[in-house]
Amino acid sequence: MHVGKIAPLGPQGTPSGFRKTAVDHPVIARTLGLTGDAQADLNVHGGPDKAVYGYPLSRYPAWAAEFPHLADRLVAGSMGENLAVEGIDEDAVHIGDRIRVGGALLQVTQPRLPCFKLGLAFDEPRLIRAMTRNGFCGWYYRVVESGAIGAGDAHSLVERPNPDWSVARFAGIIAARAMGAEVLREIVAMEGLAENWQARALRQLAALRHDAP
């Protein structure tokens, strides 16, 4: 369990809530996130569809192998996650999954799309492109039911409305920009998906129809 305040990041002192600190006590998950956690740029971070960020612990060894000069810094919480999740990854988690964590009910909404602050946090801009390439992106949750979450709480799957849409598949399609009409229609109707992605898919579908002969 990790939370963070807004603090300067990188040589220009960019305001960011990227850096997180482990807490050993339960925190409350609410609509806009965890108690004690903050985001600086609410245009692209935070909000109900990005209230909590989860990241799989199993990805850290691969990161350390690819970027050995950062190995001692690539530890739980260093990717800016609130929940360092053990035993599942982007292949095992699906868009729309409802997951009970402690006293809260969370829903997976979308993969993380890395921004420049990931590079700033490690002074390594290559991390951004690498995350897009390897798909080790983690995922965001919305809070369906508020409640306390503590370190070590299990992730218990309650419902999976989109069994064909793992986080890994969604992230791969984004990276490849492979959104044809059929995929776009699925995205528009996808239960639990972040609203901004459904709106984007609607716009792209409308553009395809407009361009059709």
Side-chain angles (χ1 to χ4, degrees):
M1 172 68 63
H2 304 83
V3 299
K5 301 292 187 183
I6 297 171
L9 188 67
Q12 303 301 316
T14 303
S16 174
F18 186 98
R19 296 195 188 281
K20 307 295 184 187
T21 301
V23 293
D24 58 4
H25 55 82
V27 299
I28 303 299
R30 296 188 175 91
T31 302
L32 294 180
L34 301 178
T35 302
D37 198 44
Q39 297 83 30
D41 186 354
L42 296 179
N43 290 318
V44 292
H45 299 290
D49 285 346
K50 295 181 181 179
V52 179
Y53 177 45
Y55 197 80
L57 278 171
S58 61
R59 297 307 191 192
Y60 279 108
W63 281 116
E66 185 168 355
F67 295 92
H69 62 295
L70 300 176
D72 61 335
R73 298 170 58 192
L74 288 163
V75 295
S78 64
M79 284 292 175
E81 71 266 31
N82 300 117
L83 305 182
V85 186
E86 190 170 12
I88 54 176
D89 57 24
E90 296 88 356
D91 293 301
V93 175
H94 292 63
I95 302 297
D97 279 2
R98 289 184 176 231
I99 299 173
R100 178 69 64 182
V101 186
L105 181 63
L106 309 180
Q107 184 171 41
V108 177
T109 57
Q110 67 170 79
R112 173 202 194 159
L113 273 65
C115 73
F116 73 100
K117 291 181 181 179
L118 173 62
L120 287 182
F122 290 92
D123 191 26
E124 178 50 271
R126 293 181 298 164
L127 284 170
I128 303 165
R129 197 167 292 228
M131 182 176 281
T132 301
R133 169 179 47 78
N134 62 29
F136 298 167
C137 55
W139 52 87
Y140 286 104
Y141 305 91
R142 69 168 56 90
V143 178
V144 179
E145 295 176 5
S146 297
I149 299 177
D153 283 345
H155 278 52
S156 301
L157 181 65
V158 174
E159 182 183 9
R160 173 162 290 166
N162 305 303
D164 295 329
W165 279 97
S166 68
V167 169
R169 181 188 176 196
F170 199 98
I173 284 174
I174 293 170
R177 300 184 180 182
M179 291 191 180
E182 183 176 348
V183 167
L184 289 169
R185 281 191 289 268
E186 287 190 56
I187 290 173
V188 168
M190 195 176 300
E191 182 179 340
L193 180 65
E195 290 182 5
N196 70 305
W197 275 107
Q198 290 178 318
R200 185 181 303 188
L202 273 172
R203 291 194 298 270
Q204 293 183 21
L205 264 179
L208 286 176
R209 294 190 189 107
H210 182 268
D211 293 339

